[in-house]
């Protein structure tokens, strides 16, 4: 590969063309992933093992836990991060393949429009994930979960289950909602920064 191509690849793929975009990448890649990878495992890693119901039978616990968690939060948030990364990764891959320098992105209307489109896609995906997270997890994890075991046990239809570390999980949920809101705000601010640069209110990098 030529030095010019490698330079374009490193600029196009690793560094967004805006200051806010670079901060978003740092926030998204470092803080959010670290929070999910390290603290998420500490909070949710052994949840299934400590989830217990009355009666405390393995099959009842497993049945109710699957009902309580149709999808584990770590998997959901990992998928969210991966999907939200796709539009930006696709743009930077195209920029690298076409040998587009970073400064050209905000100078040519087509590249600018394409980049803004990917930012809009990120916003839409984040909002969709935010709504889906509400449907799956709500805003609070209760200490008691009432499980419908009618399909499993003939003696009773509903049983009580204890949710371990429910308060920590509530805090973690709020934190993940907050991260989603912050990333959406950063995406909106990035579009505003691009508009200001195109109108000449800010100097292009």
């Amino acid at each position: 590969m030529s030095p010019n191509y490698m330079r374009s690849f490193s600029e196009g793929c690793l560094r967004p063309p805006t200051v806010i975009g670079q901060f978003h990448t740092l926030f998204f890649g470092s803080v959010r992933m670290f929070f999910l990878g390290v603290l998420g495992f500490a909070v949710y890693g052994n949840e299934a093992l400590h989830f217990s119901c009355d009666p405390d039978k393995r099959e009842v616990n497993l049945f109710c836990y699957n009902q309580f968690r149709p999808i584990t939060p770590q998997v959901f948030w990992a998928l969210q991060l991966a999907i939200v990364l796709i539009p930006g990764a696709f743009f930077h891959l195209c920029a690298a393949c076409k040998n587009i320098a970073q400064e050209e992105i905000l100078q040519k209307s087509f590249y600018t429009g394409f980049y803004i489109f990917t930012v809009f896609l990120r916003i839409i995906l984040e909002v969709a994930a935010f709504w889906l997270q509400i449907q799956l997890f709500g805003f609070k994890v209760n200490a008691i979960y009432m499980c419908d075991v009618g399909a499993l046990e003939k003696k009773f239809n509903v049983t009580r289950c204890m949710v371990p570390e429910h308060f920590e999980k509530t805090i973690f949920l709020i934190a993940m909602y907050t991260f989603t809101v912050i990333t959406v705000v950063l995406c909106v601010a990035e579009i505003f920064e691009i508009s200001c640069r195109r109108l000449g209110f800010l100097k292009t990098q």
Side-chain angles (χ1 to χ4, degrees):
M1 292 184 181
S2 66
N4 290 335
Y5 180 85
M6 291 301 296
R7 179 179 63 84
S8 175
F9 183 85
S10 61
E11 289 180 350
C13 287
L14 301 181
R15 198 156 63 97
T18 62
V19 174
I20 295 176
Q22 293 169 23
F23 179 77
H24 172 268
T25 300
L26 177 64
F27 176 82
F28 193 98
S30 302
V31 179
R32 200 171 176 182
M33 289 185 179
F34 174 83
F35 193 88
L36 176 59
V38 177
L39 297 183
F41 179 79
V43 174
Y44 291 97
N46 296 320
E47 183 182 45
L49 296 177
H50 300 293
F51 188 88
S52 61
C53 302
D54 183 24
D56 190 9
K57 297 180 181 179
R58 183 177 182 276
E59 61 271 18
V60 175
N61 293 342
L62 183 59
F63 180 86
C64 289
Y65 182 74
N66 289 334
Q67 187 180 121
F68 175 65
R69 293 289 191 211
I71 180 173
T72 57
Q74 306 104 301
V75 173
F76 175 83
W77 290 319
L79 287 173
Q80 176 187 354
L81 296 183
I83 291 172
V84 170
L85 281 173
I86 290 175
F90 179 75
F91 173 84
H92 292 304
L93 179 62
C94 291
C97 292
K98 292 182 178 295
N99 217 16
I100 301 171
Q102 185 193 27
E103 58 271 11
E104 292 182 275
I105 296 174
L106 298 183
Q107 292 174 353
K108 297 184 178 181
S109 299
F110 176 78
Y111 299 150
T112 304
F114 187 18
Y115 185 77
I116 290 177
F117 175 72
T118 63
V119 177
F120 269 118
L121 274 182
R122 292 206 307 261
I123 294 174
I124 293 172
L125 292 171
E126 288 281 13
V127 171
F130 188 90
W131 176 84
L132 189 57
Q133 182 178 336
I134 293 175
Q135 304 305 310
L136 290 172
F137 310 124
F139 290 95
K140 181 182 179 181
V141 179
N142 296 317
I144 303 296
Y145 174 71
M146 303 306 295
C147 175
D148 183 3
V149 291
L152 185 65
E153 293 280 347
K154 296 181 179 180
K155 296 180 181 178
F156 49 87
N157 292 327
V158 178
T159 185
R160 290 161 52 94
C161 299
M162 300 293 294
V163 181
E165 301 171 344
H166 62 96
F167 184 68
E168 290 183 12
K169 292 179 173 64
T170 298
I171 295 175
F172 201 90
L173 273 177
I174 295 173
M176 295 307 293
Y177 282 121
T178 303
F179 287 152
T180 300
V181 171
I182 291 174
T183 52
V184 169
V185 170
L186 288 175
C187 288
V188 173
E190 185 175 11
I191 293 175
F192 180 76
E193 181 187 347
I194 292 172
S195 301
C196 289
R197 291 187 185 280
R198 292 287 297 179
L199 294 173
F201 296 118
L202 293 173
K203 293 182 179 180
T204 57
Q205 294 176 307

